[in-house]
Amino acid sequence: MSTPPLAASGMAPGPFAGPQAQQAAREVNTASLCRIGQETVQDIVYRTMEIFQLLRNMQLPNGVTYHTGTYQDRLTKLQDNLRQLSVLFRKLRLVYDKCNENCGGMDPIPVEKLKQKNQQLKQIMDQLRNLIWDINAMLAMRN
């Protein structure tokens, strides 16, 4: 599931053939793992919804006559979904453990610092937007 290092992939080492390349490969790998984890969580939610849908549609054996074939079919689907759900949770655990392993040496960024960086980026984007509008206005006046 992990990405092979750049040197083993047949590519020339290039200028980043050192700790920076390993760090970049690790970050890409962690980002890919996070994407896989997100997709796995979505699959878990979908399977869980299917399980509840099957359970809602199953009739309880309360003396009401029901078709054995339909019951067996729904029971088989339910068991299959439960097996798949178990597999998905194990997969999610592996992805979680691998992400934690990859990020073990990293310090978490405080939320306040992230908010400050986001605010700075917003200000820069607003300034760039205003600059583009000013340039467009100047060009429109020339024509």
Side-chain angles (χ1 to χ4, degrees):
M1 196 186 274
S2 64
T3 306
L6 293 175
S9 67
M11 298 175 67
F16 299 110
Q20 295 96 354
Q22 292 172 349
Q23 179 69 23
R26 188 171 86 179
E27 287 175 12
V28 170
N29 190 27
T30 302
S32 298
L33 284 173
C34 289
R35 182 186 49 79
I36 291 168
Q38 178 182 5
E39 291 169 0
T40 304
V41 168
Q42 290 170 348
D43 289 344
I44 288 171
V45 169
Y46 177 76
R47 289 285 179 176
T48 305
M49 287 173 43
E50 280 187 2
I51 288 169
F52 282 115
Q53 183 71 27
L54 285 168
L55 289 172
R56 188 173 62 173
N57 291 334
M58 289 181 96
Q59 292 180 348
L60 296 175
N62 56 1
V64 177
T65 308
Y66 57 91
H67 296 102
T68 309
T70 305
Y71 176 79
Q72 274 308 106
D73 183 44
R74 288 181 181 165
L75 183 61
T76 303
K77 286 181 183 178
L78 181 62
Q79 289 171 339
D80 182 49
N81 278 325
L82 287 171
R83 273 192 298 276
Q84 287 287 19
L85 196 59
S86 177
V87 168
L88 288 170
F89 272 111
R90 283 191 299 252
K91 178 180 175 182
L92 185 61
R93 177 45 119 178
L94 290 172
V95 169
Y96 175 80
D97 290 342
K98 187 65 176 172
C99 283
N100 277 341
E101 179 184 312
N102 286 353
C103 299
M106 296 181 185
D107 292 329
I109 300 172
V111 174
E112 288 303 317
K113 190 166 188 160
L114 285 176
K115 287 181 181 179
Q116 181 184 10
K117 290 288 184 186
N118 284 344
Q119 185 63 32
Q120 290 172 347
L121 287 173
K122 183 181 178 297
Q123 290 172 350
I124 291 170
M125 288 173 18
D126 288 342
Q127 290 171 355
L128 287 173
R129 189 178 301 117
N130 289 336
L131 181 63
I132 291 170
W133 284 342
D134 292 343
I135 291 172
N136 284 335
M138 288 173 52
L139 291 175
M141 289 177 18
R142 293 177 89 184
N143 292 335

